[in-house]
Amino acid sequence: MKPKTNKKPQPLKPCPPIGVIQVMQFQFFENGKVKQGQSQHTMMLEAYCEGRLNLFNPYWKRTVQLAESKLTYRWAQRKLEAGEMTAEQFAEYEAAHETCTAIAVCEDTEWVKVGRIGSKRENISYIGQFIIVRRQKAGPMECVVFLDGESFGPDRFQHDLRSKPGTGRRKAYAFYDPSGLYEAMKREEAMRAESDARAAQQPPEGLLGGDPWQ
């Protein structure tokens, strides 16, 4: 049953522009002991929207706290009642909650959680922007991003070999990269490193062919 919407609608707060996402990097963190109200799992999203891919300069970055889907669903109900969310937007959260509920009872599911994308500094969650993350008992992790009616996700998560408990380093990472920009960047870096190595092996220009005055 959907919540009643008798309250006077409030003006919707516009979300910041998300840009045309060419690449998104996903970095998954598994926190140690956490206090009440803190999340055991977080996902950092880094979006790259224009120009050449530079992993040190994302267009925008968000750290998303992951929790049980019922918490996000209740939050969406409150936003709908307050007139801060449309019925169409609420339907997305309702469908996400139903999907998570169905996935959670699967034998190969370790856990499935939802995270609201927002601004920690402003203490707000952007309406219509959230992620669903599933950890399988034996197999790769999965993540789907929902941004204003659009959805996408990475192909496969990889375990970070340098990850160690208690260090705060990410546990796994993945890329959404439909155009192959990450691989192109790696090829360019390899070619540049090879060129620099060859240049380092060459003798100084003045010594080519003997002494400069010969």
Side-chain angles (χ1 to χ4, degrees), residues 20-47:
V20 179
I21 297 177
Q22 297 174 321
V23 177
M24 176 171 283
Q25 182 176 195
F26 300 75
Q27 300 191 66
F28 173 72
F29 295 84
E30 190 168 66
N31 305 315
K33 295 182 179 180
V34 295
K35 300 179 181 178
Q36 185 176 2
Q38 295 180 334
S39 177
Q40 182 71 36
H41 304 110
T42 59
M43 184 75 73
M44 180 182 292
L45 308 177
E46 295 179 330

Side-chain angles (χ1 to χ4, degrees), residues 43 45 62-76 78-79 85 93 113-120 123-133 146-147:
M43 184 75 73
L45 308 177
R62 303 281 186 264
T63 299
V64 184
Q65 308 295 323
L66 304 180
E68 295 183 19
S69 64
K70 64 181 181 181
L71 300 179
T72 295
Y73 180 62
R74 293 169 183 170
W75 169 86
R78 295 193 297 270
K79 291 297 180 181
M85 179 183 294
Y93 290 93
K113 297 182 178 181
V114 176
R116 305 196 305 267
I117 300 174
S119 172
K120 184 177 181 180
N123 194 28
I124 60 173
S125 298
Y126 302 134
I127 302 297
Q129 299 186 16
F130 60 96
I131 65 175
I132 296 178
V133 182
F146 296 84
L147 293 178

Side-chain angles (χ1 to χ4, degrees), residues 18-197:
I18 60 177
V20 179
I21 297 177
Q22 297 174 321
V23 177
M24 176 171 283
Q25 182 176 195
F26 300 75
Q27 300 191 66
F28 173 72
F29 295 84
E30 190 168 66
N31 305 315
K33 295 182 179 180
V34 295
K35 300 179 181 178
Q36 185 176 2
Q38 295 180 334
S39 177
Q40 182 71 36
H41 304 110
T42 59
M43 184 75 73
M44 180 182 292
L45 308 177
E46 295 179 330
Y48 304 87
C49 301
E50 54 188 20
R52 299 172 64 185
L53 179 60
N54 180 359
L55 295 181
F56 296 100
N57 186 31
Y59 185 76
W60 56 259
K61 180 169 64 175
R62 303 281 186 264
T63 299
V64 184
Q65 308 295 323
L66 304 180
E68 295 183 19
S69 64
K70 64 181 181 181
L71 300 179
T72 295
Y73 180 62
R74 293 169 183 170
W75 169 86
Q77 287 179 315
R78 295 193 297 270
K79 291 297 180 181
L80 180 64
E81 291 177 341
E84 299 178 13
M85 179 183 294
T86 67
E88 290 76 13
Q89 290 171 327
F90 177 77
E92 293 185 5
Y93 290 93
E94 188 173 42
H97 176 56
E98 293 174 352
T99 299
C100 291
T101 301
I103 293 176
V105 298
C106 295
E107 293 184 357
D108 61 341
T109 297
E110 184 173 338
W111 53 257
V112 57
K113 297 182 178 181
V114 176
R116 305 196 305 267
I117 300 174
S119 172
K120 184 177 181 180
R121 180 178 60 183
E122 300 177 11
N123 194 28
I124 60 173
S125 298
Y126 302 134
I127 302 297
Q129 299 186 16
F130 60 96
I131 65 175
I132 296 178
V133 182
R134 177 195 183 195
R135 161 81 60 87
Q136 299 184 57
K137 294 180 180 178
M141 191 162 57
E142 300 172 326
C143 179
V144 180
V145 181
F146 296 84
L147 293 178
D148 303 335
E150 302 291 335
S151 62
F152 59 89
D155 292 333
R156 184 182 180 89
F157 276 85
Q158 300 183 52
H159 179 70
D160 191 331
L161 298 179
R162 297 182 181 179
S163 176
K164 293 182 179 180
T167 62
R169 186 177 177 87
R170 67 186 182 183
K171 188 167 186 178
Y173 64 95
F175 284 94
Y176 164 76
D177 184 14
S179 300
L181 296 182
Y182 177 73
E183 291 301 326
M185 181 195 72
K186 299 298 290 184
R187 288 194 298 268
E188 182 178 342
E189 290 178 348
M191 293 175 61
R192 187 183 303 114
E194 183 179 357
S195 177
D196 292 343

